Amino acid sequence: MATKNKTMNISTEVSGILAKLTLKEKIALTYGANFWQTIPMEKVGIPTVMMSDGPHGLRKQNTAGEGADMLGVQPSQPATCFPTGVCIGNSWDVEVASSVGEAIAREANAQEVDVFLGPGINIKRNPLCGRNFEYYSEDPYLTGKLAAAYIAAAEAQGSGTSLKHFAANSQEHRRFVSDSVIDERALREIYLRGFEIAVKEGKPSTVMCAYNKINGTYCSDNQWLLNDVLRKEWGFEGMVVTDWGALNDRIKAYQAGCDLSMPGGGAYMATAALAAVGKGTLKESDIDACAARIIKLALKGKIRPPQAAAVDYDAQHELARTFAERCAVLLQNNDSLLPLNESTSLALIGSMATKPRYQGAGSSLINPTRLSSLSDAMPGVPACKGYHEDGSTGDDLINEAVQLAGKAEVAVICAGLPAALESEGYDRCDMKLPEGHNRLIEAVAKANPNTVVILYAGSAVETPWAEKVKAILYMGLPGQAGGKAAHNLLYGKANPSGRLAETWPLRYEDCPSAATFGQRDTLYMESIFVGYRYYTSAQVAVRWGFGHGLSYTSFKYTDLVIDGLNIDITIQNTGAVPGAEVVQLYLQAPSGKAFRPLHELKGFQKVHLQPGESRRVHFTLSAKDFAIWENGWVVMNGSYTLIVCGGLDSGNVLTTVYEMKDEQPEPQGELEGNWYYCLKGKPDQASFEHLMGKPYQASQSTKGQYSFSNSLEEMRKDSRVMAMMYNGVKQHLTKALGSDNAVQDSPAFKMILAATVESPVRNLVVSGGIDEDLIGGLIDIANRHPLQGLSKILQSKRKPNR
Ligand code: BGC
C-alpha cells in the first residue's frame, strides 16, 4: 500500500511539474547537461540525475571537460573492480549476479551516483566481438535470469541501473552505423528474450538503446522496439537513455519514446523538434511523455539513502575474490592434477602471473582500489616471464621457461589475450591466442607432463595445445581480486563451480556466423542457431560445450520425477570435498513443421553440497517455455524430451518426457527444404531471404545523399572536404597521442579514432559540441550543393556565443 501511494504521489508530482514547463524547457530536459548528468531545473524542483559507467564496478568521472569520456581513457574515482560479465555468465549463479549488483550499488550510493550503466547483456553471437567480456552468454535465458538478479538487487539498494545495449548490438565493428539484419523469430527468441526477462523480472530504472540499426532503423528511432515491444508488450515504465551519442533523429526518437539523449552539451535537432511541433508533424504529447519519464527518474533519485554508509573497500575486495572463485571454470583436469598440494614444487610461467589481465578496455574500465596478482599470492615460487606484453616471445624467454618447468613437479602457465586484443570499439581479428603464448605452452608442456594452463580472456579462444596439457582453468577476466582467487582454486581452498556460458569451438571457421560477422550491415543468417543451438543441432564437434565445467568433487543425479510442468530431481555430492553443481534443464522439441534447435536451456540452479549431502532440486516450466515465435508465441503439440543434467557433455544426464496437447494455434513452418532444416554447411543468403520474406537490399550511402548519419570515413571517398576533415582528425590524434606503433595499436587510439571518424557526423554535434549548421553546411558541400553549404556555414559563424 505504501509503495502504491508513493508511486501515485510521484505521478502527481511529475504532472504538476510538467504543467509548469514551457515546450522549450521540456525539450531542453531531454538532453543531458554534461557528460554524465541530466539538466536540473531547480525552480520547479527537478534535481539532476548523475550517471556513471558500470557494469562490473563504478567508473565515476568528472562530469565535464578534460576528465570525462565514454571510452575509459580518462581517469575515474577508485572503485572495486568485480569480475566482468564473462565471469558472471560463467557463474551460472543468480546469487553471484545479485551480490555483484548490490555491491556496486553500495559504492554508487556512497559516491552519489543515481544510475550506473549496466548490466550489458548483448548475446555473444560470435567469439570475436570486442565487448564479449562485458556480456554474459550466448543463451538468452541464462543472460536474462542473471541480469534480472543483478538489477533487482541494485535497485533494491535505491540505486538505478541501465540495462544495455538495447538491442542486437553484438559487434563493435562500425558500431555507430552498423545494421543488424535479423528475422523476427531470432530477434524474439534470442536477441530480445534476455532483455524481456531482465525488464520484467529485474525492473531496471532505465534501458539504454544501442548505437546500431535493426533491420534498417536506428534503435533510438525505433517505435517498434521502444514503444511497442519494450513499453507496451513488456510493461517497461522507466526511462530510455541513448547510448552515448546514439541519438539519430530527435523527432523520430520522441515519437519512438526515446527519452534522454546523452552525453549532454549539444542539443542536436532541438530547433527542428520545436518547429515540428509548430507544424503539427510532432505531437507535443510525445515530448511530454519523454520529459515526464526523465522527471520521474530525477524525483526517484531523492529516495536514495541520504547519508549512504561509508563503503568498506577491504570487504568489497574480499567479495570480489569470492565472486571470482565462484565464476572460474575448470575446463580440463586430467589425472586429477588439480588441486595442488602445498608441498608440490612449482614453476610459475607467464607475465600475466605478475601483471594480471583482469578487465577489458573501454567505458567499463575501472580504476581498481587494489589489485591482486597470482605471483603476489604465491611468494617464493620460481617464476619467469615467458612472453612479452604484446604476446610475442623469443628463444631466450622460451628457454628460460623450459628450464624452470623442467625442474618443477608442476608447471603453471598464465596465458590469455593481451589487453590490446580485447576492447570496446573494435572486434578481435581471429580467435587465436597470441603466437607467443601458444609457442610457450607447447614448449613447456613438452618439458613438463604436469602442466596447468590458467587462461585469461573475455571470450572463447582456440586451444590447439589442449590435449598436451593436463589441466586448464579458465578465469575469464576476473576483476581486481583474480590473483588470490586463482591461487585458492589451484590449491582447492575453493572448488571450481563455473560452467561455460558460451561454446568454445575447435576453430573459428566452425562458428555459424563466421562468414557474416563484422560487416557494416550484418546479416544474422544463422537466425536462432546461435552457439550451442547450432553446434549440438548440426553435430559440429566443439572443444568445450555450453554448460561444461568440472569440479574437484563428483555428483550423482537420481529420482527424476515429472508431475505436469513440475520437475524434481535429487543431486548428491558423492566426492570427498564440498562443491557446487549447476543443474541444467534443457528442452528437446519434437520434430514438427517449424525448425527447432536440438537443445534449449529452460532452467538452471546452482546447488552447494557438503560431501555425502543430497538435495531435491525443483523446476517449474510454463507454456511459454515451449513456445516459438511465429507472429506471436505459439506452442507446438507433441512429446518433448526434458533433459536434466550437469552439462550436456557430462556423465550426469537424465531425461523424461512431457506431452504437450491442445495448444492452439500450431506453428506453420513453411520453410522446409532450406538451410534451417538441414543445417548442412553454413547458412546461405537464399535461405535467409526466404526466412525474412524478402530479398536483402544493402543500405548504400551514396554520393549526393549523405546526411548526419554518415561518417567521415564513409564520405571521404567522394568528398574532398570530408577527406580533409578525416585526415585532419587522424593527424590531430596522432599528434596528441603519439605516432609510434605501440600507441597506434593501443585500445585508446583505436577507440578514439573509431569514435570520431567512423561515427555519424551528427556526433560531432551531439557529443562534440560543434554547431549543427556548420556540420550541415559541410554535408551540403559533400553532396555538391556548395552555395547552400556555405550559407549554412556563415549562418553558424553568425550565431552568438561561438
Ligand atoms: C558505451 C556504453 C557506455 C557509454 C558511456 C558508450 O560508448 O557503449 O556502454 O555506457 O559509452 O560511457
Side-chain angles (χ1 to χ4, degrees):
M1 193 61 192
T3 323
K4 204 171 165 197
N5 282 343
K6 207 184 256 174
T7 318
M8 271 171 55
N9 291 343
I10 289 198
S11 331
T12 325
E13 210 176 333
V14 171
S15 324
I17 292 175
L18 203 60
K20 289 186 201 143
L21 298 179
T22 64
L23 176 59
K24 247 184 161 170
E25 286 170 327
K26 287 184 278 192
I27 291 178
L29 200 61
T30 63
Y31 294 88
N34 52 43
F35 218 89
W36 297 114
Q37 286 173 298
T38 60
I39 293 182
M41 292 189 178
E42 271 135 31
K43 66 166 191 182
V44 287
I46 309 175
T48 184
V49 176
M50 173 72 194
M51 291 169 267
S52 284
D53 261 309
H56 50 264
L58 206 63
R59 189 174 69 92
K60 189 184 181 194
Q61 288 189 315
N62 293 341
T63 49
E66 291 280 290
D69 77 305
M70 60 196 214
L71 302 172
V73 176
Q74 301 292 340
S76 53
Q77 298 293 329
T80 311
C81 178
F82 292 100
T84 58
V86 53
C87 302
I88 310 299
N90 288 342
S91 75
W92 289 65
D93 192 340
V94 286
E95 235 177 74
V96 165
S98 103
S99 308
V100 168
E102 188 181 311
I104 299 174
R106 259 198 297 278
E107 297 189 19
N109 285 340
Q111 296 205 32
E112 307 204 317
V113 168
D114 302 294
V115 175
F116 63 91
L117 308 178
I121 64 159
N122 295 98
I123 289 292
K124 295 192 183 198
R125 171 181 179 234
N126 182 291
L128 305 191
C129 172
R131 270 184 114 164
N132 270 355
F133 71 88
E134 277 186 71
Y135 304 146
Y136 292 163
S137 176
E138 67 191 20
D139 180 83
Y141 178 80
L142 178 59
T143 295
K145 287 289 178 185
L146 294 172
Y150 171 113
I151 293 166
E155 298 269 348
Q157 298 289 310
S159 192
T161 51
S162 196
L163 180 65
K164 65 189 188 183
H165 308 90
F166 192 55
N169 181 214
S170 292
Q171 72 177 46
E172 288 302 277
H173 180 72
R174 298 277 188 273
R175 64 175 171 152
F176 302 104
V177 290
S178 67
D179 189 5
S180 304
V181 183
I182 316 180
D183 66 284
E184 189 167 358
R185 180 164 170 205
L187 266 172
R188 294 292 190 156
E189 291 182 26
I190 307 291
Y191 296 98
L192 297 181
R193 184 78 183 113
F195 283 99
E196 180 180 0
I197 297 171
V199 163
K200 287 182 175 167
E201 296 178 15
K203 303 200 187 317
S205 295
T206 79
V207 166
M208 183 190 290
C209 76
Y211 289 123
N212 54 286
K213 299 176 202 167
I214 298 178
N215 296 329
T217 307
Y218 277 103
C219 292
S220 66
D221 296 350
N222 206 318
Q223 297 230 29
W224 170 79
L225 184 71
L226 303 182
N227 265 340
D228 298 348
V229 175
L230 177 66
R231 294 193 202 282
K232 291 192 195 131
E233 281 184 33
W234 301 350
F236 176 65
E237 289 180 350
M239 183 193 82
V240 172
V241 57
T242 63
D243 196 346
W244 268 227
L247 179 78
N248 179 53
D249 179 320
R250 187 60 273 197
I251 296 175
K252 288 184 185 159
Y254 284 128
Q255 290 163 336
C258 175
D259 305 318
L260 176 67
S261 168
M262 288 300 287
Y268 176 63
M269 289 185 70
T271 318
L274 195 65
V277 175
K279 277 189 277 172
T281 48
L282 171 64
K283 288 192 274 182
E284 184 166 350
S285 57
D286 286 336
I287 299 175
D288 285 356
C290 294
R293 287 185 288 254
I294 296 167
I295 300 170
K296 189 172 150 202
L297 178 72
L299 297 183
K300 200 177 142 199
K302 283 191 200 161
I303 61 172
R304 190 184 50 223
Q307 279 285 297
V311 173
D312 177 348
Y313 283 98
D314 289 329
Q316 296 279 95
H317 180 79
E318 278 308 294
L319 268 183
R321 175 186 57 76
T322 57
F323 298 152
E325 288 165 4
R326 288 165 76 170
C327 299
V329 188
L330 183 61
L331 294 171
Q332 181 170 301
N333 193 18
N334 298 344
D335 303 335
S336 300
L337 179 63
L338 295 179
L340 299 172
N341 242 310
E342 294 287 351
S343 59
T344 310
S345 70
L346 296 184
L348 187 56
I349 299 164
S351 58
M352 285 182 184
T354 25
K355 289 196 178 158
R357 199 54 241 297
Y358 65 102
Q359 64 172 333
S363 60
S364 67
L365 194 93
I366 307 302
N367 176 10
T369 55
R370 57 214 67 182
L371 186 56
S372 101
S373 71
L374 183 56
S375 61
D376 288 343
M378 302 166 87
V381 172
C384 67
K385 192 166 150 181
Y387 48 80
H388 301 291
E389 242 168 84
D390 65 1
S392 64
T393 189
D395 291 346
D396 48 344
L397 291 177
I398 296 276
N399 289 340
E400 187 189 9
V402 165
Q403 296 286 317
L404 206 66
K407 289 189 217 140
E409 286 168 88
V410 173
V412 177
I413 307 175
C414 291
L417 293 173
L421 289 190
E422 229 175 0
S423 167
E424 176 177 338
Y426 53 92
D427 298 314
R428 278 154 68 195
C429 303
D430 57 41
M431 215 180 103
K432 298 183 193 320
L433 284 176
E435 175 58 25
H437 291 226
N438 282 338
R439 239 186 98 189
L440 175 75
I441 297 170
E442 297 269 357
V444 169
K446 229 181 202 170
N448 190 327
N450 291 326
T451 293
V452 179
V453 176
I454 305 183
L455 273 180
Y456 298 91
S459 196
V461 293
E462 288 173 14
T463 53
W465 35 259
E467 276 133 30
K468 299 179 188 157
V469 301
K470 281 211 174 136
I472 306 172
L473 178 66
Y474 176 42
M475 295 297 295
L477 297 180
Q480 67 180 48
K484 186 67 184 163
H487 169 265
N488 288 351
L489 289 157
L490 279 180
Y491 284 97
K493 291 181 181 152
N495 189 349
S497 63
R499 303 288 182 261
L500 287 181
E502 76 180 304
T503 309
W504 283 41
L506 282 166
R507 57 194 84 80
Y508 179 64
E509 296 69 48
D510 294 340
C511 301
S513 56
T516 53
F517 178 76
Q519 319 278 323
R520 181 190 195 274
D521 293 347
T522 295
L523 309 192
Y524 283 47
M525 279 193 212
E526 70 286 358
S527 182
I528 57 169
F529 291 100
V530 177
Y532 71 93
R533 283 173 166 74
Y534 166 74
Y535 297 105
T536 67
S537 314
Q539 297 185 335
V540 172
V542 297
R543 179 68 74 188
W544 294 292
F546 177 78
H548 168 80
L550 308 174
S551 166
Y552 296 152
T553 187
S554 52
F555 301 95
K556 195 167 144 200
Y557 285 50
T558 51
D559 302 324
L560 175 62
V561 173
I562 181 163
D563 177 11
L565 289 170
N566 293 304
I567 298 128
D568 291 276
I569 187 155
T570 301
I571 315 295
Q572 187 186 15
N573 180 346
T574 48
V577 291
E581 169 71 327
V582 177
V583 188
Q584 305 165 34
L585 169 63
Y586 296 87
L587 192 82
Q588 193 175 322
S591 52
K593 285 185 186 159
F595 59 81
R596 198 96 190 226
L598 193 59
H599 300 111
E600 294 165 66
L601 183 76
K602 296 296 172 186
F604 66 93
Q605 271 182 54
K606 199 166 209 176
V607 201
H608 299 261
L609 295 169
Q610 293 299 316
E613 189 187 352
S614 50
R615 176 117 21 102
R616 206 80 185 127
V617 172
H618 176 81
F619 295 99
T620 306
L621 290 174
S622 71
K624 187 161 175 183
D625 291 319
F626 294 77
I628 66 164
W629 183 268
E630 206 178 75
N631 301 317
W633 293 106
V634 282
V635 175
M636 205 158 77
N637 286 332
S639 302
Y640 287 79
T641 305
L642 303 179
I643 304 166
V644 185
C645 60
L648 288 163
D649 64 355
S650 76
N652 286 315
V653 180
L654 295 189
T655 61
T656 181
V657 171
Y658 180 79
E659 284 300 332
M660 176 62 78
K661 298 196 260 297
D662 297 324
E663 285 288 336
Q664 293 296 335
E666 289 246 329
Q668 289 310 303
E670 289 174 2
L671 289 157
E672 255 174 274
N674 67 23
W675 183 81
Y676 308 97
Y677 285 89
C678 66
L679 302 181
K680 294 243 162 59
K682 289 287 150 54
D684 57 275
Q685 192 158 335
S687 293
F688 183 60
E689 288 180 345
H690 195 180
L691 187 62
M692 293 289 285
K694 58 177 183 211
Y696 167 65
Q697 292 208 310
S699 59
Q700 284 299 337
S701 38
T702 43
K703 193 152 105 185
Q705 292 173 353
Y706 289 131
S707 71
F708 278 90
S709 297
N710 292 108
S711 65
L712 291 178
E713 220 272 317
E714 288 169 324
M715 293 188 278
R716 75 184 164 130
K717 61 182 182 302
D718 40 43
S719 157
R720 275 178 56 193
V721 68
M722 293 300 175
M724 275 162 61
M725 276 184 75
Y726 175 90
N727 292 333
V729 168
K730 249 189 133 168
Q731 274 164 17
H732 175 75
L733 268 182
T734 310
K735 212 163 142 198
L737 298 173
S739 59
D740 59 81
N741 288 349
V743 168
Q744 306 240 332
D745 283 345
S746 70
F749 187 89
K750 290 192 197 166
M751 278 190 293
I752 296 174
L753 188 67
T756 30
V757 298
E758 284 178 16
S759 89
V761 285
R762 75 175 124 77
N763 275 347
L764 297 172
V765 183
V766 176
S767 335
I770 300 180
D771 185 70
E772 199 173 323
D773 281 327
L774 176 63
I775 302 297
L778 293 171
I779 297 171
D780 285 343
I781 296 174
N783 281 334
R784 307 277 190 270
H785 302 302
L787 292 180
Q788 190 178 311
L790 280 174
S791 129
K792 276 194 193 155
I793 293 170
L794 287 175
Q795 201 172 311
S796 113
K797 295 263 174 238
R798 281 198 292 267
K799 281 187 192 160
N801 306 325
R802 292 202 55 78

